[in-house]
Structures are given as C-alpha cells and as structure tokens.
Amino acid sequence: MTTRRSLLAAALAAPAFLAGAARAQAPWPAGQPITLIIPFAPGGPTDAVGRMIAEAMSRDLGVNVVAQNVGGAGGTIGVNRVAQARPDGHTILLHNIGMATAPTLYRRLPYNPLTAFEMLGLVTATPMVWLTRPDFPATNFGEMIRLIREGGERINLGNAGLGSASQLCGTLMQASLGTRFTTVSYAGSGPIYPELMANRLDIYCDQTTSAIPFIQANQVKALAVTTPEPLPAVPGVPTAVQGGLPGFEVAIWHGLYAPAGTPKPVQDRLNQALRAALADPRVVERMTGLGSPPEPVSRQNGEVHRAHLAAEIERWRPVLQAAGQFAD
C-alpha cells in the first residue's frame, strides 16, 4: 500500500515538476516585464526618445518595456539605480551624453560608466538649436553673437541643470566666445519654455526633440542649429557655423545600457530588440520629424557604443574642467 501511494504521489507531482523546470528554462525574458530607467523628469528630450524606444522594444520582445523616470542630480541618481540593479536584463537604462560628462562634473560619482554597465548600442544623436525669447533684439545668429560679445553677463542663459544637454551647449558657447553669460538653472527643461515665451529669459540651447513644437508654434525664435548641415526638420534655420561660429557642432547622443554582468545572450537579445525598434517605420518617422533620426545600423552595437563613450569622456573633460563648474 505504501509503495502504491508513493508511486501515485510521484505521478501526480511529475507534471508540476516538469512545468516548473520548463519555466526555469524558458528563454529570457520569460514573460516578465522590463523596466527602462530614464534618468530625467518626464517631458524632456531624453524622455521622448526613451518612451518611443520602450514602446517599440515591447513589440519585438513580446513583454512590456515600462519607461520609468528617475530624475535628480543631473541624471546620476537614475543611472546609479541601474548600476546597482540585478544584472538579469529586467532593468535597463536609456541615457544621453551625460554618461560621458558625469565623470568630470561629479567629484564623487558612485559608478564608473565604463565598468558599471554593458553597452547595448547607440540610439540617436539629437541636434541642438539656439533659441531666444520672442522679443530678443537679434534676428539672426550672427547678431546674437555680437550682442553676447558686447555684454555677455547682461544676457540670461537658461539651462536644465548641471550636466544637462543645455548646460553643455552653453558651456561650449562660452568657451568658444571667451565670455560669460548670466546662467539661470532650472529643474529640467519643462519650466524654461514659459520663461522664454514670457520674455523673462533671453536665450536657451535645447535638443530639437523638445524645441521643434515651440518653434513650429512661433512661440520662440530659432536662430541656429548645431549640426554640420541645416536640418530639414527646422527649415530656414542656418547652422551655427554658417551663423559665424566656426567649429560649433554639438549632438546629444543617446545609448542603451544594462548593468555589468548581464549575461551575453540577454545582451544580444536586448540589442536585437533595440535594432528592431530603430528600424520600425513608425519610430523612424517620429524621430526624424523631431530632427533626431536613429543612428546608422553600424553604430547600433555594444562595441561601437563603448568606444564612443570612452572617446566622449576624453573630449568633454578639458571643456568642463576649464568651465570650473562641479558637483560633489
């Protein structure tokens, strides 16, 4: 009797055991959602890119990729959360050029960008555009430069905080002109546009992904883009070089990251989903319309991404050290 009962119990337990084993061996992501950390407040340019990518990757992976904003400290809080996350592919990061500038800007950065993450591929390089308040006396970029040279400290330059794309663009402008603005920092890009539109702020350098709707609505003036060639997305606006500032080119690139130690097969699957997202016609159309088309396929991989990050850290270090603005 005991033997028969044991055999019966084993027979009943076998399907549950086999089902559990199948679940344990199910390929990643095994039906589990993925959190995509965006290390800035909602509504900004990196948030716009991140949400497009999350939606498109969800379609390819067959699970929800949930965009989550974790802002603060120039993006370093959200980045550090991913650096400390379990390396199982269920927490990933979409970050911009701030990954390259943080090692210089922050004296006590809690992570090393080159060792704390697996690079999954470059996403897009977003141009920037110089904007002014509606009644700013300059009607073109050359006139804006002249006014800055005549009295830079009398001109208010807005930025979205230390380490933001707008702060980097303004820092490079000051270095290029050898002058100083009166800098007004805000908690993100959202509060800046009302200040510009109300003529309380003079100039601002922002990513096209945020700026284009305000330009199209004639709520701000666009005087120059930071690309080598004019942008079809902002017709009639010259480049900064054409406007009289040789060599002034800035692109705010974005990349996708996973915590260091994420298994290689998971990295490869995430990269596959990223490449599928960047080939999605809906994503291409939306990103191109915002002046920020996807990176070429040859740059959508971890090797190129890692080399690019290392080079950008070295490119921005002397510029930021000369500016002398640091955070603890």
Side-chain angles (χ1 to χ4, degrees):
M1 180 69 70
T2 301
T3 301
R4 286 199 299 271
R5 286 177 179 171
S6 298
L7 290 173
L8 179 60
L12 292 172
F17 172 80
L18 292 173
R23 283 196 300 272
Q25 297 172 8
W28 181 93
Q32 299 181 43
I34 298 165
T35 299
L36 174 63
I37 298 293
I38 301 169
F40 301 102
T46 300
D47 182 61
V49 173
R51 290 182 182 279
M52 278 188 270
I53 295 303
E55 181 181 345
M57 288 182 68
S58 296
R59 291 192 288 269
D60 184 77
L61 291 166
V63 298
N64 286 332
V65 179
V66 182
Q68 181 180 347
N69 298 91
V70 182
T76 60
I77 293 175
V79 176
N80 193 45
R81 178 173 297 186
V82 179
Q84 296 180 350
R86 186 191 302 271
D88 58 5
H90 290 285
T91 303
I92 57 177
L93 170 72
L94 189 285
H95 196 16
N96 63 20
I97 195 174
M99 189 69 102
T101 59
T104 302
L105 288 171
Y106 290 85
R107 300 185 189 277
R108 291 195 291 268
L109 194 66
Y111 53 85
N112 182 330
L114 290 171
T115 60
F117 302 94
E118 307 293 350
M119 286 60 171
L120 301 174
L122 294 168
V123 175
T124 184
T126 306
M128 303 198 76
V129 55
W130 278 100
L131 309 168
T132 72
R133 54 184 165 88
D135 68 352
F136 192 71
T139 59
N140 58 59
F141 191 62
E143 291 180 2
M144 186 184 102
I145 292 175
R146 178 180 58 81
L147 290 172
I148 291 171
R149 290 188 188 279
E150 290 175 354
E153 291 190 356
R154 295 197 300 271
I155 293 176
N156 295 323
L157 167 70
N159 71 45
L162 186 66
S164 65
S166 52
Q167 188 255 342
L168 297 177
C169 189
T171 297
L172 191 59
M173 172 69 91
Q174 291 178 98
S176 299
L177 296 179
T179 188
R180 295 278 181 179
F181 304 111
T182 296
T183 300
V184 184
S185 293
Y186 296 83
S189 62
I192 295 178
Y193 282 97
E195 295 292 287
L196 271 176
M197 291 184 288
N199 295 308
R200 291 191 292 266
L201 186 67
D202 294 323
I203 59 176
Y204 179 45
C205 184
D206 197 15
Q207 298 176 63
T208 54
T209 43
S210 288
I212 283 177
F214 296 96
I215 297 169
Q216 292 174 338
N218 295 316
Q219 294 174 310
V220 296
K221 291 195 297 187
L223 298 187
V225 293
T226 64
T227 47
E229 302 293 334
L231 285 176
V234 280
V237 178
T239 69
V241 174
Q242 291 172 331
L245 201 57
F248 194 93
E249 296 177 10
V250 184
I252 305 303
W253 55 271
H254 295 75
L256 192 68
Y257 302 81
T262 299
K264 187 63 166 59
V266 175
Q267 294 181 49
D268 292 343
R269 184 66 185 93
L270 284 165
N271 175 259
Q272 178 185 330
L274 173 64
R275 287 185 283 111
L278 295 178
D280 187 319
R282 289 165 289 189
V283 173
V284 173
E285 181 180 7
R286 289 171 64 190
M287 292 178 73
T288 301
L290 293 171
S292 182
E295 286 276 27
V297 173
S298 61
R299 293 172 63 79
Q300 298 171 15
N301 65 76
E303 293 78 13
V304 171
H305 185 177
R306 181 174 294 278
H308 182 72
L309 173 58
E312 285 285 276
I313 290 172
E314 296 306 315
R315 176 197 175 196
W316 283 97
R317 180 176 287 122
V319 175
L320 297 171
Q321 286 175 338
Q325 292 180 300
F326 307 101
D328 291 329

